[in-house]
């Protein structure tokens, strides 16, 4: 059996966010033969500057691109602020434009916002990921609201229906 590797990218800097819970739950529910890595360098990325998008790359950017290159697929969960992605996560995506690591890589996202919210973040993700050449796995992109009481003490989502939906997203991403 070939092992597949999924890079988990949270667009939230807040510890214990719903987005983190979604991704950590996705990791816990990953099928046999799938490994995951939770990217934790979002706060260390410098502000994007095209003048610095040259070799040698800033170390946090080189680490980001290496993590993307090592992955077979990307699963993102990002909040929506002011109708779009938070600036820190858009900054992460801006650093991927100058590289080729994301090109043709299956990518999907889970929006953890309440029903009717998060559409601006999802639209921005679709636009930017398309621009970078990622292979957006549309059947794996989903809105899965995560109520605050749906998490256990370990930070993982405990609600069975929500867990089932997250597992479906992971399977659809891996099928892409």
């Amino acid at each position: 059996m070939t092992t597949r590797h999924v890079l988990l990218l949270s667009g939230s800097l807040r510890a214990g966010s719903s987005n983190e819970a979604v991704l950590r739950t996705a990791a816990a529910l990953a099928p046999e033969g799938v490994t995951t890595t939770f990217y934790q360098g979002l706060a260390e990325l410098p502000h994007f500057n095209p003048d610095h998008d040259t070799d040698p790359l800033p170390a946090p950017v080189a680490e980001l691109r290496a993590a993307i290159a090592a992955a077979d697929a990307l699963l993102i969960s990002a909040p929506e602020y002011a109708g779009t992605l938070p600036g820190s996560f858009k900054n992460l995506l801006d650093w991927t434009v100058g590289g080729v690591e994301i090109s043709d890589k299956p990518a999907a996202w889970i929006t953890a916002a309440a029903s009717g919210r998060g559409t601006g973040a999802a639209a921005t993700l679709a636009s930017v990921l398309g621009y970078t050449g990622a292979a957006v796995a549309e059947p794996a992109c989903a809105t899965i609201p995560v109520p605050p009481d749906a998490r256990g003490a370990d930070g993982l989502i405990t609600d069975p229906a929500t867990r089932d939906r997250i597992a479906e997203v992971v399977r659809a991403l891996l099928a892409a």
Side-chain angles (χ1 to χ4, degrees), residues 33-123:
V34 175
T35 61
T36 61
T37 299
F38 191 89
Y39 176 74
Q40 296 187 15
L42 180 62
E44 284 75 43
L45 288 170
H47 295 289
F48 177 72
N49 180 338
D51 292 338
H52 299 156
D53 196 3
T54 60
D55 287 327
L57 289 168
V61 176
E63 292 166 12
L64 167 67
R65 288 188 182 175
I68 292 170
D72 296 305
L74 309 175
L75 181 58
I76 298 165
S77 187
E80 179 176 282
Y81 289 112
T84 190
L85 293 173
S88 57
F89 195 70
K90 176 61 169 68
N91 183 58
L92 178 148
L93 294 173
D94 287 344
W95 278 112
T96 69
V97 173
V100 296
E101 298 82 7
I102 204 167
S103 295
D104 299 320
K105 194 157 301 237
W109 59 83
I110 296 174
T111 301
S115 243
R117 302 201 48 155
T119 56

Side-chain angles (χ1 to χ4, degrees), residues 124-136:
T124 302
L125 279 168
S127 176
V128 176
L129 290 172
Y131 186 83
T132 64
V136 175

Side-chain angles (χ1 to χ4, degrees), residues 111-169:
T111 301
S115 243
R117 302 201 48 155
T119 56
T124 302
L125 279 168
S127 176
V128 176
L129 290 172
Y131 186 83
T132 64
V136 175
E138 290 187 28
C141 297
T143 297
I144 306 174
V146 178
D149 63 348
R151 290 180 250 163
D154 59 2
L156 298 179
I157 296 170
T158 57
D159 176 67
T162 304
R163 289 174 65 87
D164 287 348
R165 285 285 294 128
I166 293 169
E168 287 172 19
V169 166

Side-chain angles (χ1 to χ4, degrees), residues 10-15 17 20 42-44 79 81 88:
S10 175
S12 178
L13 290 170
R14 189 169 56 90
S17 72
E20 181 179 326
L42 180 62
E44 284 75 43
Y81 289 112
S88 57

